[in-house]
């Protein structure tokens, strides 16, 4: 079975641009979460989606948005990019909303803002 | 703002030695404590999810303990091997819709 897949692997953008990151969860998993990891820090929670509904949101500005599709894949959108948005963006899936379940992570998308 | 602290930040261990490191987290509103291993150029891999005070879990040479009353968890590695070199992350959740709160990780290097 395929694990969590994310695309693209790497991305370079300039300030002010917009970006869309994509995530396909493990087959059968209905919950997708997004995390941002900057160098020297642990991953920071951005969003959780379950059954196509936003279930949780971290402390990120409204420039960050996401959605989940009927096939449970998800997109993370970031508008008006800032230099500080340069980070590794991780997607994780679980088969339920329960935080007692281990999260299955993808390899991430490395976003660089010039 | 939840505070999850991991120590030490980095650790060099000789191959064959045993080691341990610490994760401290809020002792109130506890739901679960996660441990992940993150090797360079790979995705974080779940090791344990612990929910009960006093819980102890084991996976091969790696084990973890949990004290929810005082807010800490220990991860132990017995007989370290080069393939154990990785960053070990712990993450706390209060069970709500706030996702996991991660520590900064312990970067473990096993020296042959």
């Amino acid at each position: 079975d395929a694990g969590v897949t994310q695309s693209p692997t790497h991305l370079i953008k300039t300030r002010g641009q917009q970006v869309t990151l994509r995530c396909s969860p493990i087959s059968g998993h209905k919950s997708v979460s997004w995390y941002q990891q900057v160098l020297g820090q642990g991953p920071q929670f951005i969003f959780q989606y379950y059954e196509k509904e936003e279930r949780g949101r971290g402390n990120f500005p409204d420039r960050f948005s996401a959605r989940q599709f009927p096939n449970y894949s998800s997109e993370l959108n970031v508008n008006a990019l800032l230099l500080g948005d340069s980070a590794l963006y991780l997607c994780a899936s679980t088969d339920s909303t329960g935080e007692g379940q281990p999260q299955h992570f993808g390899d991430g998308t490395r976003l660089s803002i010039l | 703002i939840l505070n999850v602290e991991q120590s030490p930040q980095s650790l060099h261990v000789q191959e064959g030695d045993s080691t341990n490191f610490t994760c401290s987290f809020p002792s109130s509103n506890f739901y679960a404590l996660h441990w992940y291993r993150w090797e360079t150029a790979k995705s974080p891999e779940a090791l344990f999810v612990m929910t009960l005070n006093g819980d102890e879990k084991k996976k091969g040479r790696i084990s973890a303990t949990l004290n929810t009353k005082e807010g800490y968890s220990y991860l132990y590695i017995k007989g370290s091997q080069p393939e154990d070199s990785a960053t070990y992350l712990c993450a706390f959740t209060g069970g709500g819709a706030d996702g996991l709160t991660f520590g900064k990780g312990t970067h473990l290097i096993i020296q042959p």
Side-chain angles (χ1 to χ4, degrees):
Chain A
D1 280 345
V4 176
T5 57
Q6 292 187 241
S7 63
T9 306
H10 295 88
L11 203 49
I12 300 174
K13 292 284 188 178
T14 56
R15 283 176 294 175
Q17 285 189 310
Q18 174 266 341
V19 69
T20 298
L21 311 181
R22 296 177 175 83
C23 172
S24 293
I26 289 173
S27 178
H29 283 192
K30 299 180 180 179
S31 175
V32 169
S33 297
W34 287 94
Y35 292 84
Q36 180 197 64
Q37 196 248 345
V38 298
L39 202 61
Q41 303 292 320
Q44 188 173 358
F45 174 68
I46 310 174
F47 285 111
Q48 184 190 25
Y49 275 76
Y50 178 72
E51 288 280 15
K52 303 178 287 293
E53 297 288 328
E54 180 182 306
R55 186 175 177 272
R57 183 186 183 115
N59 188 24
F60 280 81
D62 291 343
R63 300 184 296 107
F64 288 77
S65 63
R67 56 180 174 168
Q68 187 177 33
F69 299 97
N71 66 354
Y72 303 111
S73 67
S74 177
E75 287 182 351
L76 175 70
N77 296 284
V78 187
N79 293 323
L81 287 165
L82 302 174
L83 291 177
D85 296 330
S86 295
L88 180 69
Y89 289 84
L90 292 165
C91 171
S93 75
T94 58
D95 60 0
S96 70
T97 60
E99 279 73 19
Q101 299 294 320
Q103 306 243 345
H104 300 266
F105 284 89
D107 290 339
T109 293
R110 174 74 62 186
L111 176 63
S112 299
I113 311 301
L114 303 179
Chain B
I1 297 177
L2 298 174
N3 207 22
V4 177
E5 300 283 345
Q6 290 189 247
S7 62
Q9 189 173 353
S10 65
L11 193 53
H12 292 245
V13 174
Q14 286 295 124
E15 182 177 352
D17 288 351
S18 296
T19 187
N20 65 84
F21 25 93
T22 307
C23 172
S24 63
F25 52 86
S27 56
S28 59
N29 298 321
F30 176 86
Y31 184 83
L33 193 283
H34 295 227
W35 281 101
Y36 292 87
R37 174 170 58 200
W38 196 356
E39 297 178 65
T40 303
K42 293 188 178 180
S43 56
E45 172 197 0
L47 290 173
F48 307 113
V49 178
M50 308 174 79
T51 57
L52 299 175
N53 183 44
D55 206 3
E56 188 168 334
K57 296 210 171 184
K58 188 175 180 181
K59 185 177 182 178
R61 295 179 292 99
I62 304 176
S63 61
T65 61
L66 179 68
N67 183 322
T68 61
K69 294 188 188 304
E70 296 181 43
Y72 64 84
S73 175
Y74 292 132
L75 190 80
Y76 300 89
I77 301 177
K78 186 178 177 182
S80 302
Q81 299 297 310
E83 59 265 30
D84 296 329
S85 295
T87 295
Y88 291 81
L89 291 165
C90 71
F92 164 92
T93 176
D98 297 330
L100 298 178
T101 300
F102 282 87
K104 293 182 181 180
T106 291
H107 184 50
L108 177 65
I109 298 169
I110 307 301
Q111 296 169 320

